[in-house]
Amino acid sequence: MHESCGVFGVYSPNEDVARLTFFGLFALQHRGQESAGIATADGRRIQIRTGMGRVSNVFSEDQLRHLTGYIAIGHNRYSTAGSSRAANAQPIIVGNGNNAIAIAHNGNIINAEYLYKELVEQGYTFSTGTDTEVIANLILACPETNLVDKIKYAMRRLQGAYSVVLITSRNLFAFRDSFGVRPLCLGSLDGGWLVASETCALDHIGAEAIREVEPGEIIAIDENGVTSSSVEGGRRGLCIFEYIYFARPDSVINGRLLYPLRQAMGAGLAQEHGVDADLVMGVPDSATAAGMGYAQESGIPIAEGLIKNRYVGRTFIEPDQRIRDLGVKLKFNPLPQMLDGKRLVVVDDSIVRGTTTPSVVKILRKAGAKEVHMRICAPPIRYPCFFGVDMATRRELIAAQKSIPEICDFIDADTLGYLSIEGLIKAVDLPKNIFCLACFTGDYPIPVQLEMDKLALEAIATRQGPFCEGIDGA
Ligand code: SF4
């Protein structure tokens, strides 16, 4: 399963904005490692540098020094398979002269193909395969003169998930879809203003997190400070996987620090699926906190049984199955002295295709574990994602194809327990109706007409349609 992109923005006449953005992106590296980019503006022009790889591979000291100005945006990209190319790195610049904007986006526009065709018919040209360029051209296509009005026009026509940062030569804008699928927050630093996908990016640079950018909100920042406006919203749909897995555990979303919430997920698993065992371990790093919660609730000692090689990257990042399989071995090294003869409770964040978990169980058994009891923070994933998480097609989702006992057999665990949806909501301690839970329930928080759109449904179900290959999410 992969998530899609981290965004960062800063408006501060007193700071080296390119360097701040570099460190902001560094803190958001977990959200995308395929390409990175920074655009800066100095009141007259926009400069940009993008490249393939992690942020530290893309930017040298010299390159950062040449990105001058007092406004910057940055982006870490993860994309759908097959679209890994430099032309799709973000930010991108669209428009010319005084109309030029640089834009970067986290999310997935469901009606991008439709809007793309409409814009092409109007004479707009495209140089990337991203839905980010669709957003940008839609904004520029609006006849209004005020940029906030143009953004509102685009937001009313865009269907899907988007947390966007945008600059002109003089201003910074940030806006978020009315479902609020992907996080976006506002911060301040020494009189300047920042926006970021997660608060951890603000913490690392000494900035103060002020608040969320609300679903449907448009933030505009200039020399007079921050102004806010919004478009009308409907149902909310914050992706619950931000809490389970995507966001860093030291980030705060909706006023909740994620680390203790993940501990609560582990405690919930201990309540729902207790078992006699000698040791608890969380699969590092994403389930470390949940493992701790399971141990505290159950009274079973916790230990590290797998050491993670942090420099290999997340296994789901790899584009094909063969490399994904290799990735698990490259990623974890077991500690046989800790595991030999032990009955283990192993807490993990999720099972998607069911390709990684059997390898983890195999590694643990080979290292001497007597029993392996898998406990999973996410309920069974039975439906694909409409909002840009490239988890799998329905056919590939193991919980859509097998019962829980069959999955237990398949992964070769002694027992398998998933946290219930009620247990998950109790752990995150927020109202259920603000979340998207569609990959567990099939209840998508999108307009009915889109659910009825057979083409979109087929495209998402098969990953072969124009919504998935022609226009990439970000
Ligand atoms: S379907 Fe699942 S992965 Fe996709 S946005 Fe909703 S909760 Fe997140």
Side-chain angles (χ1 to χ4, degrees), residues 8-17 19-21 186-195 201-210:
F8 187 87
V10 53
Y11 183 108
S12 182
N14 308 318
E15 302 283 350
D16 178 347
V17 290
R19 196 169 302 271
L20 278 186
T21 305
L186 175 69
S188 70
L189 177 67
D190 295 336
W193 297 96
L194 305 104
V195 285
L202 305 179
D203 297 336
H204 277 297
I205 58 172
E208 183 188 356
I210 306 279

Side-chain angles (χ1 to χ4, degrees), residues 251-313:
S251 284
V252 174
I253 303 178
N254 276 319
R256 302 285 194 280
L257 177 66
L258 268 54
Y259 190 91
L261 304 189
R262 289 182 184 167
Q263 283 185 306
M265 291 173 203
L269 276 167
Q271 289 159 8
E272 293 183 9
H273 302 286
V275 65
D276 268 346
D278 305 311
L279 274 184
V280 178
M281 52 169 282
V283 176
D285 291 324
S286 53
T288 301
M292 194 84 75
Y294 193 105
Q296 283 163 354
E297 182 67 22
S298 65
I300 301 170
I302 188 160
E304 284 189 89
L306 291 172
I307 299 301
K308 183 179 177 184
N309 178 357
R310 290 183 171 77
Y311 305 101
V312 189

Side-chain angles (χ1 to χ4, degrees), residues 181-182 239-241 384-387 389 391 436-439 444:
V181 179
R182 297 285 152 229
C239 175
I240 194 86
F241 271 95
C385 178
F386 277 76
F387 283 145
V389 178
M391 48 173 57
C436 175
L437 302 164
C439 46
Y444 293 96

